[in-house]
């Protein structure tokens, strides 16, 4: 197994143990602020305001996923609507991200459609763009159906995400083409079995560039979500060679990760957005960040030792 994928698999496996979760939640909360804007919407808006001052736009995301009952899904929807209304009042670009499982996708696609429809009815007239996040592989099919259904109902300020580590993604890309999607391209951060996903980082990176170039050739607007300097440089070279203007795509990174690179790209004239998560349900998000780089695990260990 590729060492990077072995590391990620190990971290996600250990992080799933209840005793580890309790330890991190009680002793490493200081580390959370490196990657999470805070637990309240007000804290997240302050972070977004500061990023705007640096030329970096914010993608605001209320943390939470995989709800267990309809009441919880409806409660999440109310908080997402609160986010949409708050963002709509800001003078900077209006952009939010949400997970289908927050809105009850695991319970019923009909429920998820109903709740997402109500969010989009609030967001679209206010000029708020909504990105429908992609979760782990069992939820991909339902998420794509949800996206297509909303587009067929006439909602245009809705984007989708594709993950380059899944075998199925190129087929999904061509299935989505008739919808002319605003596409966020990511490598993928979930622990997936080798039957459905590449485990070799070189192949994942190659697929990332392959899919991104296909999308640009098709004239789609693509958000390249990566911190990898090599991949960023290749996207820039390809776009320049193909005569694609900087306005035809963008780069997206995570809040707290390579902020200097975010500012530098913005200064070069590229659109750059930082994914700004907030909320009390931060543990699953944090574990996926830890699993991305061994350096992040060292930060956790230092935080635990320091209390």
């Amino acid at each position: 197994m590729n060492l990077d994928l072995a590391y990620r698999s190990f971290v996600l496996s250990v992080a799933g143990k209840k005793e580890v979760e309790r330890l991190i939640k009680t002793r490493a909360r200081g580390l959370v602020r490196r990657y999470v804007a805070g637990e309240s919407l007000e804290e997240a808006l302050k972070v977004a305001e500061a990023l705007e001052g640096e030329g970096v736009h914010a993608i605001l995301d209320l943390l939470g996923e995989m709800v267990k009952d309809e009441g919880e899904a409806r409660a999440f929807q109310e908080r997402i609507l609160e986010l949409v209304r708050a963002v709509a009042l800001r003078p900077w670009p209006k952009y939010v991200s949400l997970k289908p499982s927050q809105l009850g996708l695991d319970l019923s696609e009909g429920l998820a459609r109903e709740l997402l429809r109500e969010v989009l009815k609030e967001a679209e007239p206010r000029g708020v763009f909504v990105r429908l996040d992609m979760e782990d592989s069992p939820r991909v099919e339902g998420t794509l159906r949800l996206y297509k259904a909303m587009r067929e109902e006439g909602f245009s300020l809705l984007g989708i995400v594709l993950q380059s580590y899944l075998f199925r993604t190129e087929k999904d890309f061509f299935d989505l083409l008739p919808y002319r999607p605003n596409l966020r391209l990511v490598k993928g951060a979930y622990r997936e079995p080798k039957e459905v996903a590449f485990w070799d980082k070189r192949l994942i990176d190659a697929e990332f560039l392959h899919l991104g170039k296909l999308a640009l050739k098709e004239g789609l607007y693509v958000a390249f979500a990566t911190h990898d300097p090599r991949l960023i440089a290749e996207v820039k070279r390809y776009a320049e060679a193909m005569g694609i203007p900087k306005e035809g795509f963008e780069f997206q990174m995570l809040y707290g990760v390579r902020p200097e690179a975010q500012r530098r790209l913005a200064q070069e004239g590229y659109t750059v957005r930082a994914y700004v998560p907030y909320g009390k349900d931060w543990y699953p998000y944090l574990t996926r960040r830890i699993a991305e780089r061994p350096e992040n695990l060292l930060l956790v260990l230092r935080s635990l030792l320091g209390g």
Side-chain angles (χ1 to χ4, degrees), residues 66-97:
M66 304 175 191
V67 302
K68 299 295 189 296
D69 59 65
E70 182 174 337
E72 190 180 0
R74 292 189 181 278
F76 261 114
Q77 186 215 38
E78 282 301 315
R79 295 180 66 195
I80 292 167
L81 288 170
E82 178 189 17
L83 167 60
V84 166
R85 292 163 187 150
V87 168
L89 298 175
R90 265 52 188 187
W92 23 267
K94 304 162 186 20
Y95 197 126
V96 304
S97 195

Side-chain angles (χ1 to χ4, degrees), residues 9-300:
S9 180
F10 167 75
V11 169
L12 293 177
S13 176
V14 171
K17 298 181 183 300
K18 289 297 180 184
E19 57 270 27
V20 174
E21 180 176 348
R22 283 195 297 271
L23 180 64
I24 291 177
K25 283 185 172 180
T26 54
R27 294 185 58 84
R29 290 181 69 87
L31 175 68
V32 177
R33 295 307 293 262
R34 181 185 179 105
Y35 301 109
V36 178
E39 294 195 348
S40 70
L41 173 56
E42 291 71 25
E43 290 173 297
L45 291 170
K46 286 180 182 177
V47 167
E49 194 76 43
L51 287 169
E52 285 291 330
E54 299 174 349
V56 176
H57 305 310
I59 306 166
L60 287 165
D61 175 76
L62 171 64
L63 290 171
E65 54 196 79
M66 304 175 191
V67 302
K68 299 295 189 296
D69 59 65
E70 182 174 337
E72 190 180 0
R74 292 189 181 278
F76 261 114
Q77 186 215 38
E78 282 301 315
R79 295 180 66 195
I80 292 167
L81 288 170
E82 178 189 17
L83 167 60
V84 166
R85 292 163 187 150
V87 168
L89 298 175
R90 265 52 188 187
W92 23 267
K94 304 162 186 20
Y95 197 126
V96 304
S97 195
L98 61 85
K99 288 180 168 55
S101 69
Q102 286 179 318
L103 298 180
L105 181 66
D106 292 353
L107 306 173
S108 158
E109 285 190 29
L111 175 64
R113 288 187 189 189
E114 174 196 337
L115 298 185
L116 179 57
R117 183 183 298 115
E118 291 174 14
V119 169
L120 296 175
K121 283 181 177 179
E122 292 263 3
E124 195 139 312
R126 292 173 166 83
V128 179
F129 183 84
V130 177
R131 177 74 67 183
L132 195 60
D133 278 346
M134 191 63 73
E135 300 175 89
D136 56 352
S137 59
R139 295 173 174 84
V140 171
E141 197 67 41
T143 299
L144 292 173
R145 285 196 296 266
L146 185 59
Y147 171 79
K148 291 173 182 177
M150 293 300 99
R151 290 299 310 278
E152 287 165 6
E153 290 187 21
F155 295 106
S156 59
L157 294 182
L158 178 66
I160 190 67
V161 179
L162 291 179
Q163 302 163 313
S164 71
Y165 71 167
L166 294 180
F167 298 158
R168 61 173 293 160
T169 298
E170 185 167 344
K171 179 182 182 301
D172 290 336
F173 169 80
F174 285 110
D175 287 345
L176 285 170
L177 264 185
Y179 296 86
R180 308 301 297 166
N182 181 308
L183 180 66
R184 176 196 286 158
L185 186 61
V186 303
K187 295 182 187 180
Y190 293 87
R191 187 184 182 196
E192 297 287 359
K194 60 183 179 181
E195 290 79 16
V196 303
F198 296 109
W199 280 21
D200 188 319
K201 182 181 182 299
R202 294 167 299 180
L203 294 177
I204 296 168
D205 289 354
E207 281 294 296
F208 183 92
L209 289 173
H210 170 63
L211 292 164
K213 291 174 181 179
L214 276 178
L216 290 177
K217 276 185 180 178
E218 291 288 345
L220 301 184
Y221 188 86
V222 186
F224 290 92
T226 180
H227 306 98
D228 189 324
R230 185 184 64 83
L231 296 181
I232 291 170
E234 180 61 22
V235 170
K236 290 162 68 174
R237 279 193 296 268
Y238 181 80
E240 184 176 358
M242 297 293 290
I244 299 168
K246 293 178 180 178
E247 297 76 22
F249 62 98
E250 65 184 56
F251 294 106
Q252 295 186 355
M253 299 187 189
L254 300 170
Y255 171 64
V257 181
R258 299 193 67 211
E260 73 292 338
Q262 297 178 28
R263 292 190 292 268
R264 186 168 60 251
L265 284 167
Q267 290 164 2
E268 292 173 3
Y270 294 98
T271 298
V272 181
R273 298 187 206 274
Y275 183 85
V276 179
Y278 73 97
K280 295 180 180 180
D281 299 314
W282 49 262
Y283 185 73
Y285 176 81
L286 180 66
T287 59
R288 290 195 290 272
R289 300 292 75 77
I290 297 168
E292 286 173 347
R293 300 168 68 232
E295 294 89 337
N296 294 345
L297 180 58
L298 293 177
L299 290 172
V300 173

